Structures are given as structure tokens and as C-alpha cells.
Amino acid sequence: PKSQKVERGERPGRLLPRSQNPEAAPPPRPFTRRVAAVAMGAGAGAAEEPSQTRRALVDTAAGAISGGISRTVTSPLDVIKIRFQVQLEPTAKWGVLRRDVYGPSKYTGLMQATKDILREEGLPGFWRGNVPALFMYMPYTAIQFTVLHKLKTFASGSSRTEDHLHLSPYLSYVSGAIAGSAATVGSYPFDLLRTILASQGEPKVYPNMRSALVDIVQTRGVRGLYAGLTPTLVEIIPYAGLQFGSYDTFKRSMMSWNRYRYGIEEDDSASSFQLFLCGFAAGTFSKAACHPLDVVKKRFQIEGLKRHPRYGARIESSTYKGMYHALTEIVVKEGFGGLYKGLFPSVVKSAPAGAVTFVAYEYISDWIGAKAGVE
């Protein structure tokens, strides 16, 4: 009868106690359970490791591509900025404190410099040094975004970009500073070559990157490829920290605005234009704060190197004994305005450069991640 089957525990889906079910398998021993747990953990780790590797490759590729795009788009402004920074003569009529120190200025303003470069060097002059710049920017941004994502993953315990937005803003600043330092050390020789080629003008002293590299190694040694690294690291720590920290802060604020303005609860992601504004603001803020150290870095990079006289006084070897001496020497001879030479083209360049980099990275990372099946 059906009632008997129910009493005997024979109803489909019902499990008898192990003591009443002779057909049940014996319980696993403690050692067996431990082995099974280790095997499950190893399987999960093995499954997670390829995912983390793919995520790192996605960050590297997206960072490299976005850096190359940003650098190529903003190269004309970068060339003008470098010409201003390495010019000992005043770069603006109103910024002259001591006109008797140096001779007449080659460049005295953004428009004047643009016209002169176009007339003397043609359009290619605005992309002078772009090849070593790409060799610098692509590994720089690749290392930077990869290290940044790793640090945020470590801090949040998750590799998902959405979870990184919940991190403390202070962690974003610290992660950005560490990532920027790592990227700077890894790509610095190309930064040096970029500065030299972009500053030389016409007629060229170095026809290509190889000739500049050989001359630097012969005259300065291998250490010459890292001339100016100290002020660069002193600059990049606050610069990268401010850039990435302020970008995350602006992005959070934009997402909060979306929730408040449109009542969006589930999907509050920022639009491409909002990401552009966040990158624009982050680039402007960080560059304006750290510009004097960038000027010092450029002076160390071209110190003692050949340059045609038409571009002004040459910075002789051992002109600056150190970073502090360079800062004081510039202030004494060129005034406080000397520390901000090239600030206007730098800000005009850095704002769209930061915007293009962040927007391109976000979209390229999402696209590559979707193709590779990485969240």
C-alpha cells in the first residue's frame, strides 16, 4: 500500500537516514574531505588564473592603444610646449623680469610659435619626435593601466571595474601614483629621446632617433638615457596620483548626478561625453599643479646637447647641480614665470589628452574584454 511505502521512506525524492539506508555510501574520511577541498580550491584557482591573465592583457592592450591615439592627436601642442620649456629666453612679453640675461626670444606665444613652426618646418614639424613618443606612451600607458588595475583589484578583492568605484578616493590617488612611477621608469629613455627630437627644430641636429641615441650614449654614457629621472619621479607621483584620483572622483560625482537627475538606479554609468569631461578636468588639474617640475625635467634632458643657435641659448653641461638648484636658478634668471613656461599649451594639450586617453581606454577595454570574455 501507498501508506506503507511512505512509512518505509520509499517515496521518490526522500532520503533515509544513513543508519536506516544500507545502500548509502559511507561518509568520507577527514583526509578525503581535505583532499577534495584542496582539489576544488586548485580547480577554482586554475580557472581564475587564466581570467586574471586575460584581464591583464586587456588592460595592457587598451592602455597601449589609448596612449598611442592620445599622443598622436595632441602631438602639435606637445611640440610647442617642449619648445617653450627648453627656451631660456622669455616666452611672453609680459613675463619678462630680466631682459638683459638672454638675447631675443624665438617663441613668444602660442599662435606665433604655431606660425613659425609651420613656416619653417611644415606640418611634419608638429609631429617631430612622435615615433619615440609612441614608443614611450604606448608602454607607459600599458604599464600604468595594468598596474593600476592590479592595485585596485588587490585593494577591492575583485577584478570587476564596477567594484573599483567603491574604493576610497585616497586609494585611487595612491594607486595612480604607484602606477605612474612604474610606468615612468619603464619608458623613460623614450621620453628623453622624444624631448630631444621635438626641441631641435630645423636644421636637424639629429636626423633620426638612432643618431640621437648613439650620441647620448657616447657623450653621457648609459646613465645619460635617464637624465632628469629624479625630478620626473618627483613630478609623476603627485601628477599621476592627482590625475587618476581626480578622474575617479569626477566620475563618481558624475554617476551620482545621473542618479539624482534621471532617477537611474540600475544603470548609472557615465556617458562618453561625461567621461570626456571627467578626463578633461583631471588632466587640467593635475598638469597645472605639477608643471614647474616638468620644466626642470626638460632642462635636465637637453642639458649639454647640441642645438641650432637660431633657437636661443644652449643649456650647457652641469648648468644645474640638482633639482633644487635648477628651480632656484630658473627663478633667479627667468623669474617665477620661467617655472611655468609652456603652461598654456601644456594645459591645452593635457586636458584633451587626458580626456582622449580615458575615454579611449574605457571603450577599448570594454570592447576587447567583451571579445575575450573578460568582465
Side-chain angles (χ1 to χ4, degrees):
K2 186 176 181 180
S3 60
Q4 293 179 352
K5 289 183 178 180
V6 171
E7 290 176 357
R8 291 176 185 176
E10 296 179 4
R11 187 173 61 187
R14 179 176 177 179
L15 298 176
L16 287 172
R18 195 175 299 278
S19 60
Q20 300 177 14
N21 189 356
E23 298 180 358
R29 296 179 180 179
F31 176 76
T32 307
R33 286 198 296 267
R34 286 197 297 271
V35 171
V38 171
M40 291 177 64
E48 186 177 0
E49 185 176 354
S51 177
Q52 292 181 352
T53 303
R54 286 197 299 269
R55 179 71 253 181
L57 291 174
V58 168
D59 291 331
T60 301
I65 296 171
S66 62
I69 293 172
S70 172
R71 165 64 208 178
T72 303
V73 169
T74 59
S75 179
L77 288 167
D78 196 48
V79 169
I80 296 174
K81 179 202 75 168
I82 292 173
R83 300 284 176 94
F84 282 1
Q85 289 178 322
V86 301
Q87 178 175 288
L88 298 178
E89 296 78 13
T91 56
K93 296 178 181 179
W94 53 268
V96 181
L97 291 185
R98 294 182 62 184
R99 296 178 184 271
D100 58 326
V101 176
Y102 301 110
S105 301
K106 171 65 176 175
Y107 302 117
T108 56
L110 182 61
M111 293 304 298
Q112 181 267 337
T114 302
K115 293 176 182 177
D116 269 19
I117 294 173
L118 183 61
R119 183 180 67 253
E120 296 173 359
E121 306 171 41
L123 280 176
F126 291 108
W127 278 268
R128 187 66 55 82
N130 194 50
V131 173
L134 289 176
F135 279 116
M136 180 198 76
Y137 270 87
M138 295 184 74
Y140 179 90
T141 48
I143 295 170
Q144 191 175 42
F145 279 108
T146 301
V147 173
L148 183 69
H149 190 274
K150 284 290 185 183
L151 291 171
K152 288 185 175 182
T153 298
F154 176 78
S156 65
S158 171
S159 62
R160 293 172 59 88
T161 305
E162 294 82 359
D163 297 332
H164 297 171
L165 293 174
H166 303 296
L167 290 173
S168 167
Y170 298 106
L171 285 175
S172 295
Y173 284 91
V174 174
S175 299
I178 296 173
S181 299
T184 297
V185 174
S187 61
Y188 190 79
F190 292 111
D191 185 18
L192 179 78
L193 293 171
R194 181 277 306 257
T195 300
I196 292 170
L197 294 178
S199 64
Q200 65 178 348
E202 288 286 350
K204 296 179 181 178
V205 177
Y206 302 109
N208 51 48
M209 184 172 64
R210 182 180 177 278
S211 63
L213 176 63
V214 171
D215 184 68
I216 292 170
V217 174
Q218 289 178 347
T219 56
R220 297 183 180 182
V222 177
R223 292 183 61 184
L225 295 174
Y226 290 88
L229 180 61
T230 300
T232 303
L233 290 175
V234 174
E235 173 208 5
I236 202 64
I237 291 174
Y239 174 72
L242 288 172
Q243 186 182 34
F244 283 95
S246 58
Y247 176 75
D248 284 348
T249 301
F250 293 144
K251 187 176 178 181
R252 288 192 191 95
S253 301
M254 199 67 73
M255 293 171 68
S256 299
W257 166 255
N258 288 343
R259 287 193 294 269
Y260 171 77
R261 178 68 176 81
Y262 303 106
I264 300 174
E265 294 295 337
E266 296 182 359
D267 184 13
D268 58 354
S269 58
S271 66
S272 57
F273 180 69
Q274 289 175 329
L275 291 175
F276 181 87
L277 291 178
C278 292
F280 189 93
T284 303
F285 177 63
S286 55
K287 179 55 71 175
C290 303
H291 188 78
L293 290 172
D294 191 43
V295 172
V296 173
K297 177 187 79 172
K298 294 296 190 297
R299 298 292 178 90
F300 276 111
Q301 287 180 332
I302 68 161
E303 189 180 44
L305 294 175
K306 303 171 185 176
R307 196 162 182 244
H308 196 275
R310 72 154 68 171
Y311 292 95
R314 177 173 175 260
I315 301 177
E316 302 295 338
S317 299
S318 303
T319 298
Y320 305 118
K321 304 296 186 289
M323 186 176 64
Y324 178 75
H325 179 258
L327 288 169
T328 55
E329 192 75 3
I330 291 172
V331 171
V332 169
K333 293 187 175 179
E334 305 171 46
F336 282 101
L339 296 176
Y340 291 91
K341 284 182 175 178
L343 177 62
F344 182 65
S346 178
V347 170
V348 173
K349 183 213 84 166
S350 296
V356 170
T357 299
F358 282 116
V359 174
Y361 173 80
E362 297 266 3
Y363 278 90
I364 293 171
S365 177
D366 291 344
W367 184 76
I368 297 178
K371 294 290 183 182
V374 179
E375 294 184 352

